Amino acid sequence: IYYCQGLIVIFLINIYIILSIFYRGENFTVTLDSEYGRESGLVIYEDKEHKYTRTFLRSKDIDFFTDISVNWLPENINDEGDGSHNGRNYIAYTFYAENMGQDTINYWTTIKIDDVVKNVDEAIRVMIYRNGEREVYSKKNSRTGEAEAGTIAFKDDITVTDQQRTGFNPGDIDRFTIVIWVEGDDPDCVDALIGGMMKMHMDITEEHTY
């Protein structure tokens, strides 16, 4: 009996610490093509008040994730502040892109998955707010081949999405909030994902890269 109780406790602990989802120090990053930035005047920063521009931004670390529901996320998650505003079991990161140049430009945003361990991407959700407009992305259902309910399917196995921003005028500012979590209501969120890891980043470039 005691042996069985011990196994149950171990099992519950493993369920609670379900995923070491991101490599330490690499939760989520944003990179601006530095050459394009110099030529166009496009800059990125995470503090709208001080506008400390960089070509590389990084969210704060979260060591472990458990699965949650999209309904558990704060309703005001897009308005909680600049930079990292992670919560329990999700990453939330807000930053800005601004045209500080003299010309109207276009740019591409691409979110890519760099590496996956134990197929944890099967249950990942990536929510993107741009200027208050929200879209949620997920990998296609492994059984039906269709996008999960309420989401847009990843473009392919390594690309979450790529979008072009056109008509970005001098002085324009785009505000982005990226939210990443493991969706417990995803049919592919199963015990086999325990211990999984992944690495993900966003690129901001002039041209579409395949």
Side-chain angles (χ1 to χ4, degrees), residues 2-145:
Y2 292 114
Y3 176 74
C4 291
Q5 289 176 337
L7 288 179
I8 292 172
V9 170
I10 292 172
F11 175 75
L12 291 175
I13 291 173
N14 284 337
I15 289 298
Y16 179 74
I17 308 176
I18 188 170
L19 298 170
S20 176
I21 261 281
F22 290 91
Y23 298 108
R24 187 169 181 81
E26 297 289 349
N27 277 190
F28 180 75
T29 60
V30 182
T31 302
L32 169 66
D33 183 310
S34 58
E35 182 176 350
Y36 178 52
R38 286 193 299 269
E39 293 176 352
S40 67
L42 181 65
V43 299
I44 57 174
Y45 49 84
E46 64 178 20
D47 186 336
K48 191 176 182 181
E49 294 300 319
H50 298 95
K51 296 187 179 181
Y52 176 57
T53 63
R54 288 173 284 173
T55 57
F56 180 81
L57 304 173
R58 184 175 69 188
S59 69
K60 290 182 179 178
D61 291 349
I62 292 182
D63 291 335
F64 294 99
F65 279 60
T66 64
D67 59 306
I68 61 173
S69 166
V70 63
N71 298 317
W72 298 2
L73 297 173
E75 292 184 4
N76 66 334
I77 197 167
N78 184 46
D79 303 311
E80 289 185 325
D82 297 345
S84 290
H85 44 102
N86 302 334
R88 187 174 182 179
N89 301 315
Y90 66 85
I91 283 175
Y93 186 70
T94 296
F95 72 96
Y96 301 84
E98 181 174 351
N99 184 354
M100 290 188 175
Q102 303 300 314
D103 301 315
T104 298
I105 61 175
N106 305 325
Y107 68 86
W108 284 87
T109 56
T110 304
I111 296 181
K112 284 193 174 287
I113 298 170
D114 301 302
D115 196 13
V116 177
V117 176
K118 300 186 74 172
N119 298 320
V120 70
D121 56 328
E122 296 289 346
I124 283 288
R125 294 291 187 274
V126 180
M127 180 186 294
I128 304 173
Y129 287 89
R130 190 180 77 177
N131 301 329
E133 297 295 322
R134 187 186 83 158
E135 293 179 331
V136 181
Y137 295 84
S138 71
K139 197 169 182 181
K140 292 179 180 178
N141 184 288
S142 62
R143 301 166 185 80
T144 67

Side-chain angles (χ1 to χ4, degrees), residues 130-170:
R130 190 180 77 177
N131 301 329
E133 297 295 322
R134 187 186 83 158
E135 293 179 331
V136 181
Y137 295 84
S138 71
K139 197 169 182 181
K140 292 179 180 178
N141 184 288
S142 62
R143 301 166 185 80
T144 67
E146 301 294 331
E148 299 290 357
T151 74
I152 302 169
F154 288 180
K155 182 176 181 181
D156 54 47
D157 286 342
I158 64 171
T159 307
V160 174
T161 180
D162 56 356
Q163 297 182 353
Q164 187 181 36
R165 170 62 155 103
T166 61
F168 198 47
N169 298 313

